[in-house]
Amino acid sequence: MNRPVVPDPGAARSGDEVAIVGAGIGGLALALALHRAGIACRVYEAAADIRPLGVGINVLPHASAVLKSLGVLDELERIAVITREAAFFNRFGQHVYSEPAGRWAGHDAPQLSIHRADLQGVLLAAVRERIGAGRVVAAHACVGVDDSGSGVRLRFADHDGAPLADANAAIAIGCDGIHSALRRQLWPDEGTPRWSGVNMWRGVVAHAPFLSGATMVRAGWLSVGKMVIYPIRDRIDGEGRQLVNWVAELEGAEPVRRDWNARGRLDDFFPAFADWHFDWLDVVALIRSTETVLAYPMVDQDPLPRWSFGRISLLGDAAHPMVPRGSNGAGQAILDAACLAGQLAARGVGADALAAYDAIRNPATAKIVLANRTTPPDAILREVHERSGDKPFARIEDVVARETLEKIADDYKRIAGVPAGSDASRRTP
Ligand SMILES: Cc1cc2nc3c(=O)[nH]c(=O)nc-3n(C[C@H](O)[C@H](O)[C@H](O)COP(=O)(O)OP(=O)(O)OC[C@H]3O[C@@H](n4cnc5c(N)ncnc54)[C@H](O)[C@@H]3O)c2cc1C
């Protein structure tokens, strides 16, 4: 979004529509799913200007199948890297385990490695085109919602906290991310997000393709330094380089500041990676050539007993913030959107549909929040780290059987609702 959108003057009278609070991945996916179901909606976004910030993310096949049904997958495939494999290494760069991803694993839909801003940009353009630019109301931070039993009234403030005109709607859905105002209203005593003991530093940088050119790499382990590295845009210059996203993760004594734009300091994490010169990638050079490094604490929240109260509910990170260790936060927001739109279409726009959505999606996502703390896919790396005593190995087979690692990967997929692919090795996209 390059400029603020002037609010539709009809907004305050639009009592029969769905009010979506937040134009992130979840809110925009919901707007598209509602439009497809023939349900009117309006999106209210706190930011005056959605800038290309955020991180690279992976969208797993269960979520890209939804994006396909919303008619945006072709466009996303043009922008994103179609992930070919997930590969795991120890901190000495030795290969531990690989498995094919997305279509390469036999899924009908691909795994996408994409900049969050690119995904958001495609969803936003589709919403504006199909639903109308005036229905994305920028510079409107929702500060509270009142439920009268027959409708809701949303209260807003501008960037400086000055009140703006209220808006009416049939229901309100908080898609306002990990610092959700609506979640705080529904659960005022919950407290701030819970720190996992791990901090993350992230950068994006132009780099020549490495490994398959579409490999999602996880390497090392959290106590000694772990990296997640994958390309998110192809052929960004005449030299055929890609935009490569990296995240360094390290256990720490205290959390770094919680702010999406907080700059990270090289000294705080680089020593853990200072000897990562691998024959398949020079990680040191990758980090050193990155212009801007951002820092985030790795946080989540305990699952909530419920998200839906009368005509108000939550979706995406507002409902189930999870530590980003399973490539599932944005994907689950997209799955929430499909489920909620389906329930509203089937039961009518009201409290019953919100309760039904809660009953389906809350238990499903609670399991993922908890699994991401203990047994996400990178538990493969913990296994190898512990069994090898954090030493290089001669043969991975002497450290751990492939079946053990496969089971960790498959167990997580089951919890996350990613259906097993068909015969991975024989299928090409
Ligand atoms: C390092 C890292 C790596 C990640 N990797 C992955 C990955 O590989 N795969 C994956 O699926 N997920 C990943 N995630 C998680 C993913 O980014 C989030 O789960 C996803 O963005 C959630 O979407 P959302 O729409 O719920 O919230 P957001 O995308 O955060 O959007 C919330 C929106 O609400 C707006 N807003 C906030 N407050 C208000 C208010 N009061 N009123 C109006 N608007 C408001 C915000 O400005 C924003 O536009 C990762 C996260 C991190 C930090």
Side-chain angles (χ1 to χ4, degrees):
M1 189 187 292
N2 296 322
R3 63 194 156 76
V5 176
V6 179
D8 179 336
R13 298 191 299 276
S14 312
D16 55 349
E17 64 190 23
V18 176
I20 298 172
V21 177
I25 309 303
L28 295 170
L30 178 61
L32 292 177
L34 290 175
H35 179 68
R36 195 183 50 159
I39 298 170
C41 66
R42 196 171 303 257
V43 186
Y44 298 95
E45 165 58 44
D49 184 12
I50 302 174
R51 284 172 295 151
L53 287 172
V55 289
I57 58 173
N58 273 271
V59 179
L60 301 182
H62 56 354
S64 47
V66 172
L67 296 170
K68 182 175 185 182
S69 74
L70 297 176
V72 290
L73 186 60
D74 288 349
E75 178 65 11
L76 291 169
E77 288 199 42
R78 271 193 286 279
I79 299 171
V81 170
I82 315 296
T83 323
R84 183 171 178 145
E85 59 172 353
F88 297 76
F89 298 81
N90 66 5
R91 73 181 175 98
F92 309 102
Q94 293 180 292
H95 181 251
V96 164
Y97 175 80
S98 290
E99 61 179 17
R103 290 203 187 108
W104 296 91
H107 294 284
D108 289 334
Q111 177 171 334
L112 303 174
S113 297
I114 189 167
H115 199 296
R116 177 186 171 278
D118 289 344
L119 173 56
Q120 193 178 16
V122 168
L123 296 175
L124 181 62
V127 168
R128 283 176 160 165
E129 188 189 313
R130 297 178 198 175
I131 308 177
R135 286 185 173 263
V136 183
V137 185
H140 272 59
C142 182
V143 293
V145 182
D146 304 316
D147 181 351
S148 70
S150 57
V152 291
R153 191 164 189 86
L154 295 95
R155 288 172 276 113
F156 298 101
D158 69 12
H159 194 64
D160 302 318
L164 299 165
D166 294 350
N168 297 322
I171 59 172
I173 312 298
C175 308
D176 47 346
I178 190 159
H179 306 301
S180 168
L182 267 69
R183 182 176 176 123
R184 214 165 35 246
Q185 173 180 322
L186 298 175
W187 294 94
D189 299 328
E190 185 182 38
T192 53
R194 167 189 172 282
W195 184 49
S196 66
V198 175
N199 289 316
M200 300 179 285
W201 292 264
R202 176 200 73 93
V204 288
V205 62
H207 195 278
F210 59 93
L211 296 174
S212 71
T215 301
M216 178 184 188
V217 167
R218 296 176 177 95
W221 178 241
L222 298 168
S223 56
V224 288
K226 184 191 141 197
M227 294 280 299
V228 184
I229 311 169
Y230 51 88
I232 52 174
R233 282 182 203 147
D234 258 331
R235 289 181 292 279
I236 58 167
D237 58 21
E239 295 165 44
R241 292 190 299 177
Q242 299 175 310
L243 189 66
V244 171
N245 177 84
W246 59 262
V247 187
E249 303 173 359
L250 192 57
E251 287 173 359
E254 54 185 52
V256 294
R257 196 158 60 87
R258 223 180 57 230
D259 172 349
W260 282 98
N261 303 324
R263 294 290 170 109
R265 291 186 323 156
L266 218 56
D267 290 352
D268 290 341
F269 72 98
F270 185 71
F273 305 95
D275 57 353
W276 283 39
H277 302 281
F278 306 144
D279 53 6
W280 49 273
L281 183 67
D282 188 340
V283 178
V284 170
L286 187 82
I287 296 173
R288 285 213 174 277
S289 57
T290 303
E291 209 171 294
T292 306
V293 176
L294 301 173
Y296 312 84
M298 194 186 272
V299 294
D300 68 3
Q301 289 280 29
D302 288 330
L304 291 174
R306 57 192 281 209
W307 308 331
S308 297
F309 291 80
R311 290 173 170 266
I312 305 173
S313 192
L314 304 173
L315 182 151
D317 276 10
H320 44 70
M322 54 185 73
V323 292
R325 287 173 60 190
S327 308
N328 251 292
Q332 294 300 324
I334 292 165
L335 294 176
D336 289 347
C339 175
L340 178 53
Q343 292 302 320
L344 292 168
R347 296 168 190 270
V349 178
D352 286 354
L354 297 190
Y357 152 75
D358 197 332
I360 298 167
R361 292 297 298 158
N362 195 334
T365 53
K367 281 191 212 141
I368 305 172
V369 170
L370 299 178
N372 277 16
R373 289 180 184 171
T374 54
T375 51
D378 69 14
I380 285 176
L381 297 174
R382 179 179 57 213
E383 196 73 23
V384 173
H385 171 80
E386 287 173 357
R387 288 183 187 227
S388 66
D390 191 32
K391 298 269 186 331
F393 50 74
R395 287 174 2 117
I396 185 64
E397 296 80 2
D398 299 336
V399 178
V400 59
R402 182 175 166 89
E403 296 72 49
T404 306
L405 303 181
E406 240 165 33
K407 184 169 174 342
I408 294 172
D410 289 349
D411 285 350
Y412 181 76
K413 282 184 209 127
R414 228 180 338 272
I415 291 167
V418 182
S422 58
D423 189 336
S425 54
R426 276 177 238 147
R427 175 96 184 256
T428 48

